[in-house]
Every structure is written in C-alpha cells, then in structure tokens.
Amino acid sequence: MSRLDVRKTYKLYIGGKFPRSESGRSYAVQSASGEFLANASMGSRKDVRDAVVAARAAFGGWAAATPYNRGQVLYRVAEVLEGRRAQFIDEVAAGEGLTARAAAGVVDAAVDRVVWYAGWTDKIAQVLGNLNPVAGPYFNVSAPEPTGVVGVLAPQASSLLGLVSVVAPVIASGNTAVVVSSAARPLPAVTLGEVLATSDVPGGVVNIVTAQTAEVATWLAAHRDVNAIDLTGVAGAEGVDWAGLEAEAAGNLKRVLRPQVAGGVPVEPDWTAAPGLERIRAFVETKTVWHPKGL
Amino acid sequence: MTVSTTTRSAAELTAQARDVLGVSRLTNRALTSWLHGLPGVDQVGCEGRVAGLGTRSIKTTSKAWAIDTAIAMIDLTTLEGSDTPGKVRSLCAKALVPDPLDPTTPRPAAICVYGDMVATAKAALGDSGIHVAAVATAFPSGRASMAVKLADTRDAVKAGADEIDMVIDRGAFLSGDYLTVFNQIAEVKQACGDAHLKVIMETGELVTYDNVRRASYLSMLAGGDFIKTSTGKIQPAATLPVTLIMLEAVRDWRELTGVQVGVKPAGGIRTTKDAIKYLVMVSEIAGEDWLTPEWFRFGASGLLNDLLLQRQKLATGAYSGADYVTID
C-alpha cells in the first residue's frame, strides 16, 4: 500500500511560536533550477511588527542572561543543527543549486560558525571592554552591552551559512533579532527556526519572517522600537532601496551595518572567510563607569 | 466636560424605585421578583454577537477618530498600595500632557485614585477640567460597616473628588439580599452630593450573566450615574460580553425611565484593538448617544500608552516604540 505524502507547512517563527502570516498569503519557493519546492508564508509588515514586539519582550531576559549561559545555548543550537544535517543539506543543495557534497560542506561550515560564536559570548567583554587609565583615584571601566532589538536582512544568496553568520553575532552579545530571510531561498531559515525552538533559545530572541525583502524592509528600518539594522540582505534583493532604508533608519538613530560594496553595488561577503569581530562589535554599546578606588 | 448630576437623597431614590416597580413598599421580596423577572441572558447568543462585532475592521480616519475618542474616555487609574503622592502627581502630569510630541493629543477624562490621594491629584490637575475620581466604600472588597463606607465616601467628596467609584456588597447580592445592596447604593449616592456616582458591580464575582443584568438594573434603580464592571483586582475583569449586557441594560433603562446611565468597563483593557472593539459595541448596542466621555469610560492605566503609540504610528507612518511614551 502506498503512503500518503506528509507535506510540510512552512510558517513564520515569532515569539517562539510558528504562526502563519497574518495576511494569509504564501508564495511558491523554487529550486535553483526552477522546480517547485514548497509554499512558504509571505510575511507582511504586521508580521514584522509582531516580531518586533516579541523581540522587545525577550530582550530583558536574554540580555540579563550570563554570557556563559548564552554560550551554552548557542552551543546547543549547533548540536541541534548538526542533528538536522541531512535536512539542511537537501534544502541548501536544492535552493542554492549545489551538489550534495558542496552543500554538506556549507552545512558543516554553518555548524562550525555557530560553535565559533558560542565560544565568543563570554570573551566579548574581555576583548571589546577596557580598564581605562584616568587621572584620579578611580577605576574607569568600559564594557560592551547589547544594543537592543536588531533587525536583520539576511543574505539573499547564502541561505544557511550566510544566515547563521549574521544571526549568531547579533544574539551572542545579548541582542534579540528580527530576521527577514532570503526571499528566494527561505527554507533553511524556516528549518533554522525549528532548530532554535528546540534548543533552549528563549522564545522571541530570534524571530524569522519569510517575506519579500523589498516589501517589509522599509517597515523594519523605520520601526522606532528597533535599535539597529543589518543591511547585508540588500545585496541581490529585488527592488530594495538601500539609501532609503538608511534614511528611514535615521528616524530613531538606529545603528546601521552597511552591506559590503564592490564596484559601487552591494555584494555578499565571502561567508567562508574567518568572520572576525566586526559583526559583534557593530551591535554593542560601550558603557563606561567610574568607580572610586578604596583607600 | 459637563456632567449632569442631580443630588438625590436616599428617600427620593426609594420613592422612585417604588414607582418603577409599582409597589407601595420597597421590600426585598418586591426587588427579588422584579430582578428575577428580567429576561435571562442568552449566553451563546451574547458571546456570538460579541465575536461578530469584534471582527469589524476600523481603519484610517475612523481609526484616528476612535483613538482620540478612546483617549478622551480614559479614567487614568492608579490603585496600588504602593501609590505615593509623587506617583499620583506624575500620573496627573501625564493626563495634562499625554504626548509631549503632539500637543493635539486629547486629554483623558479623569484620574482615578484612592480617597487619600484626591487632594494631591486635585492640586496637580488644577482647573484643567480633568476630573478626579476616587474609589470609596472599602474598595476593593467592600467588606466594611455602612458607617465606614459612608465616611470613606464623604472624606473623598470633601477632599474634592468629582466622581466616586463605589463597590457593591457582592456577598449581600449573591445571598439574595438585594434590598441591602439597594439601600447601600442609595445612601452612598446621597453622601456623594454633587459628585458623580459610579457603581462597581465586580462582574468577575457575580458568576452568571443573569446576575450581571440584575446587578446592572439594581445599580441603576438605586441611583448610580454609571455602572462599572470591575475593580481591576479580580480576574476576569472587564470582558466584552459583560459590557454588552450592561450596554443593553442602560439602553433599555433609558427607554423605561428616561434616565441615561453611563458604562465603564475597567481592568484588562490594554490594547488599542480592544478599546476599538468596545467602541464598536457601544455604537451598535447602546447607540451613538453613549459615544462620549460623559457616558462611556475606560478604567485603565496601560491602555493610554498603547493608544499613544498607535496615534504616533498614524501621524508618522512608522511603528512606534516604548521609548516614545512615559513609563508609568
């Protein structure tokens, strides 16, 4: 007897739950060679709004968690990612048009990237902080603190390695993230949501909206309750006005991480290169305190 | 804001109640047969009607109007054991200037505080026209002797309260002693003098919708100027079905006696979406006559901030955040 197909329903990941888009819309996702892969939810501005509310609610707890604890949680994300290796390889191979072997390399790199950032959580303050020399009987300490809710336009081409490479540094330092996934290749992002939901990451710390980048990016950039925005995903995104997004982001003085530029146009960085601290540094605020020395 | 208030003595109220009931002496038996003769509430129909009204989509200019109307209907409330004069003053400052970014923002109708904070609130609000409402009669339980309840009321009125929010004796109501509840409301009404009386029925403790309808009629009969759902200290507080029953009651009461009574849902209304659902219901059930701060109020504290955020969204076109309103 033949079995009925159990088809997967692709949904958003907001506040630790998997809602459909409030708009009720979906769109067909195609493989690199143009075959139909799945229907994904097409998130709207109101889904982004709900995601920001969830991210804001989660921020206090996540920022207050010890860096050690955040590292443990990120390591757990890597474990669960590894456990879903086969599924990710399929999705990456289909979406990015890679061979199974190349896709396996990408998934391994993505797992390693999460482990790398997991190791950084309790070292950020040591490297980015400082004991400043001052002319008086004071300790003068600078320490990095998370910026807040960070909007992330995930890279369009690298749908898994690129995605974890932009999300992990944001949450490693205690920020919460509202991620707009790659518009054409959203499936690894949906599966990453399922990984996050089962790996001790508190609900709302990462929220993933699969959507047309041009439609929702403006709302995210203009949102007054978002403290920073990563514009990596404007590279290769259809109809996205980078300068317009920066202008909107200026409305509440968001921190903006600009995309890499080559030949005057935004391009995706080489995600296989060693990431460095740039992405962590972009989303922390330095707090400096004076403390009197005991005499 | 003008609030039409008539000073009524308990004796006058009893006489009027006799007329409404058509009896020569107001006894508990007469009240019981009148209240229990009211038609029962169709629970499924009531909740279905609420669900239907809740799906109305209010957008653009209608939404802007609804937000401003809802702001003007708020009784901005702080009823905590930890209230300090400073907290009451900062709440008053918020009522005077709800949104410093936009001076066209309307002011809420009143500040609602405990009796001992009335003088503080009154001084902070000055002649702005924003009313001071005081909860009285051993709020929130209502478990005290009548002498204490009356003294509580007189204290608040003497301190300058424009409105008194009293609680009914739910114990007496649930045990069927309607006459006691009637007499208490009537006496408090007398003690209020010129102040406006809101009767808190604490619907969360009344168990059934039928009881909510009975308590509404009893409160109106005894001279309440407003009927109010809850203290906000009991869950569930204000709900849409309960408010619908109260709105039907005030509509029918005006048909019956010619007297218009206001409605105030209080507690648990936190979002603009909720507030707009209530306004839709007011318009559909009671009618447009009730769509003013004189006849409909929201008892709330957090609601104002959400309304302000939505108002900013309409003005600027961008979603706003908690950094743009005060922390209360």
Side-chain angles (χ1 to χ4, degrees):
Chain A
M1 208 169 84
S2 68
R3 234 181 119 236
L4 283 177
D5 286 343
V6 181
R7 291 189 187 280
K8 189 171 165 189
T9 307
Y10 290 83
K11 296 199 270 191
L12 311 176
Y13 179 55
I14 295 175
K17 295 194 166 64
F18 296 94
R20 291 189 173 82
S21 169
E22 64 74 42
S23 65
R25 302 174 305 174
S26 62
Y27 68 108
V29 180
Q30 290 174 335
S31 71
S33 54
E35 293 144 33
F36 173 82
L37 282 180
N39 287 309
S41 289
M42 183 147 85
S44 67
R45 66 179 170 91
K46 291 193 178 177
D47 294 315
V48 168
R49 172 199 66 185
D50 293 348
V52 173
V53 170
R56 176 57 64 195
F59 176 68
W62 185 243
T66 61
Y68 174 76
N69 180 234
R70 283 199 297 270
Q72 298 272 303
V73 170
L74 274 178
Y75 191 81
R76 172 90 182 130
V77 172
E79 287 175 11
V80 181
L81 246 170
E82 177 81 22
R84 293 227 190 191
R85 198 163 170 274
Q87 186 183 358
F88 277 112
I89 290 174
D90 288 348
E91 286 174 350
V92 170
E96 300 181 19
L98 302 176
T99 62
R101 193 191 175 88
V106 168
V107 175
D108 290 346
V111 175
D112 294 350
R113 187 62 43 86
V114 178
V115 172
W116 195 79
Y117 279 113
W120 264 110
T121 54
D122 58 358
K123 298 164 192 74
I124 297 170
Q126 297 164 41
V127 177
L128 299 185
N130 193 42
L131 182 62
N132 309 312
V134 288
Y138 300 98
F139 290 116
N140 184 265
V141 183
S142 292
E145 294 195 337
T147 296
V149 174
V150 179
V152 177
L153 302 183
Q156 303 294 332
S158 181
S159 55
L160 180 64
L161 179 56
L163 177 67
V164 299
S165 300
V166 294
V167 174
V170 167
I171 61 173
S173 61
N175 297 297
T176 56
V178 174
V179 182
V180 179
S181 75
S182 164
R185 300 176 185 87
L187 302 191
V190 174
T191 309
L192 181 68
E194 291 170 8
V195 165
L196 295 167
T198 50
S199 51
D200 305 335
V201 179
V205 168
V206 179
N207 305 276
I208 299 174
V209 179
T210 54
Q212 301 304 315
T213 312
E215 181 194 340
V216 297
T218 323
W219 293 97
L220 190 56
H223 201 306
R224 301 287 167 88
D225 207 22
V226 174
N227 304 105
I229 189 163
D230 176 351
L231 295 178
T232 305
V234 306
E238 231 173 277
V240 177
D241 167 20
W242 167 18
L245 292 180
E246 279 210 34
E248 292 284 6
N252 70 332
L253 308 178
K254 281 184 191 61
R255 289 202 178 274
V256 174
L257 181 61
R258 291 181 164 167
Q260 221 174 68
V261 177
V265 288
V267 293
E268 278 201 35
D270 172 15
W271 296 112
T272 58
L277 278 186
E278 184 207 352
R279 291 184 166 274
I280 290 179
R281 196 195 307 265
F283 302 116
V284 293
E285 308 296 328
T286 299
K287 181 167 83 178
T288 299
V289 290
W290 295 68
H291 193 284
K293 275 179 184 166
L295 295 175
Chain B
M1 186 176 319
T2 58
V3 171
S4 56
T5 310
T6 43
T7 309
R8 309 289 291 276
S9 73
E12 282 169 3
L13 287 164
T14 307
Q16 184 197 306
R18 281 200 307 266
D19 287 349
V20 172
L21 268 60
V23 293
S24 56
R25 202 158 65 85
L26 192 66
T27 60
N28 194 45
R29 170 173 294 208
L31 274 172
T32 305
S33 70
W34 183 66
L35 290 173
H36 287 243
L38 293 168
V41 178
D42 170 1
Q43 183 182 345
V44 174
C46 171
E47 285 168 2
R49 181 98 168 101
V50 165
L53 289 174
T55 62
R56 295 275 177 91
S57 185
I58 308 293
K59 300 289 182 205
T60 62
T61 48
S62 310
K63 185 171 183 183
W65 180 88
I67 288 172
D68 280 5
T69 306
I71 292 174
M73 286 174 168
I74 288 180
D75 279 5
L76 200 56
T77 303
T78 180
L79 296 171
E80 301 297 334
S82 55
D83 284 347
T84 58
K87 172 150 189 224
V88 170
R89 276 195 292 269
S90 78
L91 200 70
C92 292
K94 172 135 187 169
L96 291 168
V97 187
D99 187 354
L101 298 171
D102 185 355
T104 65
T105 311
R107 288 168 169 174
I111 290 283
C112 185
V113 291
Y114 271 112
D116 61 337
M117 289 293 173
V118 168
T120 310
K122 203 74 194 160
L125 291 170
D127 56 2
S128 63
I130 300 174
H131 284 186
V132 175
V135 294
T137 70
F139 181 94
S141 68
R143 299 252 68 86
S145 73
M146 201 50 214
V148 171
K149 291 183 182 182
L150 288 174
D152 198 7
T153 309
R154 286 194 195 100
D155 248 17
V157 172
K158 203 169 150 197
D162 306 289
E163 303 173 6
I164 297 292
D165 289 26
M166 73 167 287
V167 288
I168 65 166
D169 183 341
R170 279 90 72 193
F173 182 89
L174 290 171
S175 57
D177 192 358
Y178 299 129
L179 188 61
T180 301
V181 180
F182 177 94
N183 285 336
Q184 290 194 357
I185 299 173
E187 281 178 53
V188 172
K189 171 71 185 165
Q190 180 175 334
C192 280
D194 284 336
H196 219 52
L197 177 66
K198 304 198 199 94
V199 183
I200 305 172
M201 307 188 295
E202 195 62 300
T203 52
E205 290 185 340
L206 296 185
V207 190
T208 67
Y209 288 157
D210 286 348
N211 274 344
V212 171
R213 179 169 283 173
R214 286 171 196 148
S216 302
Y217 275 85
L218 185 59
S219 305
M220 293 187 291
L221 186 71
D225 300 303
F226 253 77
I227 50 178
K228 174 173 167 184
T229 58
S230 330
T231 58
K233 304 289 182 193
I234 297 282
Q235 288 303 324
T239 64
L240 287 161
V242 154
T243 312
L244 181 136
I245 292 163
M246 289 162 60
L247 286 165
E248 286 176 344
V250 295
R251 176 195 67 197
D252 296 346
W253 184 255
R254 193 174 69 169
E255 288 286 304
L256 185 70
T257 64
V259 177
Q260 188 164 348
V261 173
V263 175
K264 175 178 172 186
I269 306 166
R270 292 194 182 84
T271 63
T272 302
K273 209 173 217 173
D274 287 344
I276 290 178
K277 282 183 190 171
Y278 278 94
L279 291 184
V280 168
M281 211 163 66
V282 172
S283 169
E284 288 292 323
I285 305 294
E288 286 186 18
D289 291 354
W290 270 269
L291 269 181
T292 73
E294 196 182 342
W295 299 112
F296 193 79
R297 298 276 182 86
F298 291 108
S301 42
L303 174 63
L304 179 56
N305 273 351
D306 196 66
L307 286 163
L308 293 176
L309 292 178
Q310 294 296 324
R311 205 172 182 280
Q312 291 169 1
K313 155 76 173 64
L314 287 180
T316 64
Y319 288 118
S320 195
D323 291 347
Y324 294 84
V325 289
T326 56
I327 300 164
D328 302 319

